[in-house]
Amino acid sequence: VSAAAKSEKADNFRLDDDLTIRRLGFGAMRLAAGALNGSPRDPNEGRAVLRRAIELGVNHIDTADFYRSGDGSVRANDLIRDALHPYPPNFVIATKVGPIFGPDGPEQAAAGDIRRLVEDNLRSLGVDRLDLVYLRIGMMKVPHGESLAERFEVLAAMQNEGLIRHLGISNVDVGHLAEARKIAPVAAVQNNFHIANREETHVLDVCTEAGIGFAPYFPLGGGRDDIEDDALSRVAKQRGATVAQIALAWLLALSPVTLAIPGTGSAAHLEENVAAGTITLTPDELKDLS
Ligand SMILES: NC(=O)c1ccc[n+]([C@@H]2O[C@H](COP(=O)([O-])OP(=O)(O)OC[C@H]3O[C@@H](n4cnc5c(N)ncnc54)[C@H](OP(=O)(O)O)[C@@H]3O)[C@@H](O)[C@H]2O)c1
């Protein structure tokens, strides 16, 4: 195997032995607003960031129909559709359903809401079939002991109807993962995980063993100030890289199933984050970061 072929293999991940995506992807939550439901960002800039991501080779975008500014004027799915539809070949849009944002703040969707929420994504993204849909459960914390079966069965039925290609789950423990896998194959898991928060390592281990994608949310800790520490700064300095880049390179080095979906509304941060995909950390650097 040539060096180039080897590196291409390490860069890529196959979702459930089907769709091939680059492991360094893009999170769309920060496009519409700097924070979920925050003040609107410039939609022209958001569309430019998306187009640049594609130029840089990103082919996995993580979004949700509820990624919007607080005033509802800018929405991530609209930006994606406006900037990128018709979507390029070999391009995967992952979305998620679960939270419903009502006047009293977020609530969890009931099984009876799930179909409508998926249909909202089909419509807003302008597709007949969604590539990957995560069921997102719980609020901020993983809801240990809560069954996801009824809600996940709705997604599995929609997959059987041809409306969804692959299923994922988000904010889950190993019990949820086992419960979901009894219902339908799970192609990817999305949990809160980053270099300064490794609590979900046991879920990652199950994913690695089963070849399930693990796409952490908050790969940069939700903002680089939350991850910065001495070791990260030291390695970044040695490599002439930024702290954000080393945090992403660390994530990709952990397991062949980790997928990075850093979120940004800034073209400069996008360039920086995508470049992290070319950084291979040495065993000594990984030890320093451990
Ligand atoms: N399943 C879930 O429950 C869930 C929850 C949260 C997020 N998500 C998904 O996960 C993706 C990633 O999470 P996230 O966006 O919340 O957090 P993140 O990627 O950990 O961090 C994003 C934050 O870091 C900043 N940033 C990005 N690149 C940077 C860089 N190179 N240098 C310095 N700062 C940088 C961004 O600001 P700028 O925009 O100004 O660059 C933004 O404030 C989201 O976009 C979303 O798709 C899923």
Side-chain angles (χ1 to χ4, degrees), residues 27 30 41 62 136 170 190 218 220 222 261 263-265 269 273:
R30 310 281 175 167
R41 277 181 150 175
D62 182 80
R136 205 285 186 193
S170 176
Q190 188 171 122
F218 300 151
L220 299 173
I261 49 165
T264 184
H269 285 164
N273 296 344

Side-chain angles (χ1 to χ4, degrees), residues 26-31 33-36 41 61-64 66-67 94 96 99 134 136-137 139-140 170-171 190-192 194 215-225 242-245 248 261-270 272-273:
F26 177 80
M29 192 176 90
R30 310 281 175 167
L31 287 176
L36 194 59
R41 277 181 150 175
I61 292 190
D62 182 80
T63 187
F66 52 85
Y67 289 168
K96 60 195 77 71
Y134 293 92
R136 205 285 186 193
I137 63 167
M139 303 308 280
M140 284 316 284
S170 176
N171 210 34
Q190 188 171 122
N191 273 12
N192 184 348
H194 51 82
Y217 69 83
F218 300 151
L220 299 173
R224 61 167 272 183
D225 291 349
T242 67
V243 160
Q245 288 177 319
L248 295 173
I261 49 165
T264 184
S266 139
H269 285 164
L270 167 76
E272 188 182 318
N273 296 344

Side-chain angles (χ1 to χ4, degrees), residues 12-284:
N12 288 334
F13 177 75
R14 261 168 91 82
L15 272 178
D16 205 14
D17 250 341
D18 174 27
L19 303 170
T20 301
I21 52 174
R22 299 278 297 273
R23 292 177 63 212
L24 199 306
F26 177 80
M29 192 176 90
R30 310 281 175 167
L31 287 176
L36 194 59
N37 286 316
S39 332
R41 277 181 150 175
D42 178 355
N44 287 322
E45 227 169 286
R47 288 187 283 265
V49 166
L50 284 162
R51 292 194 194 97
R52 184 67 186 134
I54 303 312
E55 277 170 18
L56 293 171
V58 168
N59 67 356
H60 169 218
I61 292 190
D62 182 80
T63 187
D65 202 53
F66 52 85
Y67 289 168
R68 60 181 80 161
S69 58
D71 63 4
S73 65
V74 189
R75 302 163 66 118
N77 280 7
D78 292 346
L79 295 175
I80 292 170
R81 184 181 180 159
D82 290 351
L84 306 178
H85 197 281
Y87 302 115
N90 309 317
F91 182 68
V92 169
I93 303 180
T95 189
K96 60 195 77 71
V97 293
I100 295 183
F101 291 84
D104 303 326
E107 282 170 38
Q108 282 207 76
D113 300 314
I114 297 292
R115 178 171 289 269
R116 173 177 59 81
L117 296 173
V118 173
E119 286 168 353
D120 287 347
N121 279 280
L122 285 163
R123 206 171 18 251
S124 56
L125 290 167
V127 293
D128 298 328
R129 178 168 67 161
L130 294 158
D131 302 315
L132 170 61
V133 179
Y134 293 92
L135 174 68
R136 205 285 186 193
I137 63 167
M139 303 308 280
M140 284 316 284
K141 292 205 156 108
V142 175
H144 300 294
E146 178 182 304
S147 172
L148 54 66
E150 237 191 302
R151 285 166 290 174
F152 196 67
E153 276 162 7
V154 178
L155 289 187
M158 295 187 85
Q159 183 181 38
N160 285 333
E161 291 164 38
L163 298 170
I164 303 176
R165 192 150 169 171
H166 294 290
L167 303 181
I169 48 176
S170 176
N171 210 34
V172 296
D173 61 25
V174 288
H176 296 123
L177 182 50
E179 189 186 24
R181 292 177 76 196
K182 280 192 205 137
I183 296 166
V186 173
V189 168
Q190 188 171 122
N191 273 12
N192 184 348
F193 183 86
H194 51 82
I195 192 160
N197 170 16
R198 307 179 192 187
E199 273 175 43
E200 304 289 335
T201 303
H202 46 297
V203 179
L204 169 59
D205 291 343
V206 176
C207 290
T208 302
E209 178 74 30
I212 294 171
F214 186 79
Y217 69 83
F218 300 151
L220 299 173
R224 61 167 272 183
D225 291 349
D226 299 329
I227 47 168
E228 195 148 8
D229 74 356
D230 290 349
L232 205 50
S233 305
R234 193 163 46 239
V235 174
K237 199 164 166 217
Q238 277 162 20
R239 292 298 292 255
T242 67
V243 160
Q245 288 177 319
I246 299 301
L248 295 173
W250 173 84
L251 203 59
L252 296 177
L254 270 190
S255 158
V257 306
T258 47
L259 307 172
I261 49 165
T264 184
S266 139
H269 285 164
L270 167 76
E271 303 266 348
E272 188 182 318
N273 296 344
V274 173
T278 62
I279 299 175
T280 305
L281 296 168
T282 65
D284 280 350

